[in-house]
């Protein structure tokens, strides 16, 4: 029975990893697609490959998730499963709405909410959540926006000195490199979160010793799942980040992506489970601020930030409800009932999304009014 439950948890974790991949593809490739530096299908293919490679670069974030958020010795595989369901459902809801919310915070919120209901507050590492999750969540997007604003201003100084046509070609090639770096950084940070959750479940189930590192099969499967999800492309979220925050040109895309990749790789080095969504979206807003005559859509930015603030408690509430409801039935039967309900929710949201489908063929058709500067640049 315990083995069957662990298998279900691992499958749920990889399903979350898949949703993380297509939900967060926008982080790396939205600006490259919006600026025309990369074709949509080529962009998601590059991102998928580099997400897979990035999963093998570090395990520090995985260790933080496995032991720094909740007490693995006090939880169980069913609690981890409930947390995963909370994260999956929230990811699907925000994907349907086209909101670039944090998969990382959805996962952490779901696990914490389920733990609170099933075990109690004694099993939640509040200081660890504050220092490793909440503080970076507040600092990272602001830092990325400020650095991207300065970098964009410098990039347009180079455009004026070198000439629009020549510099635009150079920034296009540079943006391919910078977008690839974001994808690599995303793999080092986000794929590890699923590794950490699977490791947490294996420790809770007695399969691994406390404080164990993720086994090789966990690293390979988590990297593969996020890469596959990335290739499917979260087109609805890509459209929001690429066309609904600000008009994106190649110098802006290069600046925002370079700054975002630097912040994400630094956080992976120190083991912070940073939200790549927060960092990349902050970089896009900063790129709009740093360019003269560019229009930042503050209404959309405010809606996005509101989604960020709601993510932890919303995913936590879903995880808590799942833990409570599955506990009413009990055992593996309760887990299977929840799994079936989750599949039904996923199917319903997918069918609803087909009424206003967004894909690689129409990803850039809904955009902001073009600024004078952007028009002049393309004309050159």
């Amino acid at each position: 029975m315990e083995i069957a439950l662990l298998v279900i948890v691992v499958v749920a974790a990889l399903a979350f990893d898949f949703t993380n991949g297509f939900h967060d593809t926008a982080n790396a490739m939205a600006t490259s697609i919006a600026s025309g530096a990369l074709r949509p299908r080529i962009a998601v293919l590059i991102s998928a490959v580099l997400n897979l490679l990035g999963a093998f670069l570090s395990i520090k974030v995985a260790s933080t998730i496995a032991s720094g958020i909740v007490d693995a010795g006090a939880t169980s595989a069913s609690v981890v499963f409930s947390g995963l369901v909370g994260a999956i459902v929230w990811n699907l809801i925000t994907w349907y709405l086209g909101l670039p919310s944090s998969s990382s915070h959805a996962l952490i919120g779901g696990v914490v909410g389920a733990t609170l209901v099933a075990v109690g507050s004694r099993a939640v590492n509040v200081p660890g959540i504050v220092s490793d999750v909440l503080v970076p969540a507040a600092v990272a997007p602001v830092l990325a926006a400020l650095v991207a604003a300065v970098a964009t201003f410098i990039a347009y100084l180079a455009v004026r000195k070198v000439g629009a046509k020549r510099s635009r070609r150079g920034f296009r090639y540079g943006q391919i490199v910078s977008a690839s770096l974001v994808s690599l950084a995303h793999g080092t940070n986000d794929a590890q979160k699923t590794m950490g959750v699977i490791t947490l479940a294996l420790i809770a189930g007695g399969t691994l010793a406390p404080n164990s590192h993720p086994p090789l099969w966990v690293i390979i499967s988590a990297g593969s799942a996020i890469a596959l999800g990335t290739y499917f492309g979260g087109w609805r979220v890509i459209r929001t980040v690429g066309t609904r925050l600000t008009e994106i040109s190649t110098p802006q895309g290069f600046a925002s992506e370079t700054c975002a990749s630097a912040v994400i790789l630094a956080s992976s080095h120190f083991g912070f489970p940073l939200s790549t969504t927060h960092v990349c979206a902050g970089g896009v807003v900063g790129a709009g601020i740093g360019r003269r005559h560019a229009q930042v859509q503050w209404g959309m930015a405010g809606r996005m930030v509101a989604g960020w603030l709601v993510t932890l408690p919303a995913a936590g509430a879903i995880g808590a409800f799942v833990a409570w409801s599955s506990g009413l039935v009990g055992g593996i039967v309760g887990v299977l009932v929840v799994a079936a309900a989750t599949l039904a929710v996923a199917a319903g949201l997918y069918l609803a999304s087909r009424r206003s489908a967004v894909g690689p063929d129409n990803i850039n058709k809904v955009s902001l009014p073009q600024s004078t500067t952007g028009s002049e640049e393309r004309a050159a």
Side-chain angles (χ1 to χ4, degrees), residues 338-357:
V338 169
T342 305
L343 288 173
V345 170
L349 288 171
Y350 172 77
L351 291 174
S353 74
R354 304 315 298 165
R355 298 174 186 170
S356 56

Side-chain angles (χ1 to χ4, degrees), residues 22-35 91-102 233-248 256 277-278 280-285 288 295-308 356-360 362-369:
F22 76 72
H23 195 287
D24 288 5
T25 307
N27 297 341
M29 291 299 173
T31 54
S32 296
I33 293 171
S35 68
N91 263 0
L92 291 173
I93 291 172
T94 51
W95 161 77
Y96 174 73
L97 296 174
L99 280 177
S101 72
S102 170
W235 305 112
R236 303 175 82 85
V237 183
I238 290 174
R239 183 175 66 178
T240 297
V241 176
T243 68
R244 291 185 168 180
L245 285 173
T246 187
E247 184 191 358
I248 294 293
S256 66
T277 300
H278 292 187
C280 294
V284 171
V285 172
Q295 300 176 0
V296 176
Q297 301 301 301
W298 293 110
M300 175 55 71
R303 181 184 173 199
M304 182 178 65
V305 172
W308 294 354
S356 56
V358 180
N362 67 347
I363 189 69
N364 286 332
K365 289 184 179 178
V366 180
S367 59
L368 301 172

Side-chain angles (χ1 to χ4, degrees), residues 176-265:
I176 294 172
V177 175
S178 61
S180 298
L181 279 175
V182 176
S183 295
L184 188 69
H186 184 262
T188 64
N189 202 281
D190 278 45
Q192 288 187 60
K193 292 156 190 169
T194 299
M195 298 177 205
V197 167
I198 295 176
T199 303
L200 175 64
L202 294 174
I203 292 173
T207 304
L208 288 178
N211 300 317
S212 294
H213 292 310
L216 181 60
W217 69 266
V218 172
I219 296 174
I220 294 173
S221 58
S224 301
I226 199 169
L228 184 61
T230 300
Y231 180 69
F232 271 75
W235 305 112
R236 303 175 82 85
V237 183
I238 290 174
R239 183 175 66 178
T240 297
V241 176
T243 68
R244 291 185 168 180
L245 285 173
T246 187
E247 184 191 358
I248 294 293
S249 63
T250 50
Q252 286 173 289
F254 175 76
S256 66
E257 289 164 357
T258 302
C259 297
S261 61
V263 172
I264 297 166
L265 286 171

Side-chain angles (χ1 to χ4, degrees), residues 38-99:
L38 286 169
R39 294 181 180 178
R41 282 296 183 193
I42 297 297
V44 296
L45 177 60
I46 293 173
S47 187
V49 171
L50 290 171
N51 265 282
L52 177 59
L53 293 177
F56 292 89
L57 296 183
S58 173
I59 59 170
K60 286 189 176 181
V61 173
S63 299
T64 299
I65 294 293
S67 60
I69 305 301
V70 297
D71 182 2
T75 57
S76 65
S78 61
V79 171
V80 176
F81 172 78
S82 300
L84 284 165
V85 171
I88 290 170
V89 171
W90 185 251
N91 263 0
L92 291 173
I93 291 172
T94 51
W95 161 77
Y96 174 73
L97 296 174
L99 280 177

